[in-house]
């Protein structure tokens, strides 16, 4: 019989951030990632990012595969509390 002594619960919400690799938006990704993890913790949210080299200016945030922020559709960068709170609300709704 197997006994699990160091069980770590997997994060229940998946956040994917797709950002522009052409213009090096990695620092913007890392900032949003840290803000999300500070708010919810790694035990509840898994935040991953991917640089997109073929689409200049992209910065999309998906919560459980639902698009909640799209820079090129008019949302801009996640550069104020209102935009960040909209992402937080989507994560809260998914928990």
């Amino acid at each position: 019989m197997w006994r699990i002594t160091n069980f770590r619960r997997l994060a229940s919400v998946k956040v994917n951030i797709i950002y522009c690799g052409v213009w090096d938006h990695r620092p913007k990704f890392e900032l949003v990632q840290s803000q999300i993890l500070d708010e919810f913790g790694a035990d509840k949210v898994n935040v991953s990012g991917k640089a997109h080299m073929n689409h200049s200016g992209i910065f999309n945030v998906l919560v459980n595969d639902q698009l909640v922020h799209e820079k090129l559709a008019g949302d801009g960068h996640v550069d104020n509390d209102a935009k960040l709170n909209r992402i937080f609300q989507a994560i809260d709704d998914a928990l």
Side-chain angles (χ1 to χ4, degrees):
M1 174 173 268
W2 289 59
R3 184 172 182 201
I4 300 173
T5 57
N6 244 349
F7 178 75
R8 182 172 180 238
R9 186 173 167 228
L10 296 175
S12 62
V13 177
K14 179 177 62 170
V15 178
N16 294 317
I17 301 174
I18 304 165
Y19 59 92
C20 176
V22 176
W23 292 102
D24 191 25
H25 287 155
R26 184 170 182 81
K28 294 179 188 315
F29 153 70
E30 290 172 344
L31 176 62
V32 173
Q33 178 187 40
S34 69
Q35 290 170 317
I36 291 170
L37 291 174
D38 287 348
E39 181 73 16
F40 295 97
D43 60 326
K44 293 182 182 173
V45 180
N46 177 20
V47 183
S48 63
K50 181 177 181 180
H52 196 296
M53 300 304 288
N54 298 324
H55 200 336
S56 180
I58 193 169
F59 197 92
N60 295 343
V61 180
L62 296 94
V63 175
N64 286 345
D65 298 322
Q66 296 292 318
L67 184 63
V68 298
H69 181 92
E70 185 176 8
K71 176 183 175 273
L72 296 179
D75 291 335
H77 284 290
V78 183
D79 54 6
N80 62 46
D81 288 342
K83 294 174 185 179
L84 189 60
N85 286 332
R86 194 170 74 229
I87 295 168
F88 286 176
Q89 185 61 55
I91 295 169
D92 270 333
D93 291 347
L95 285 172

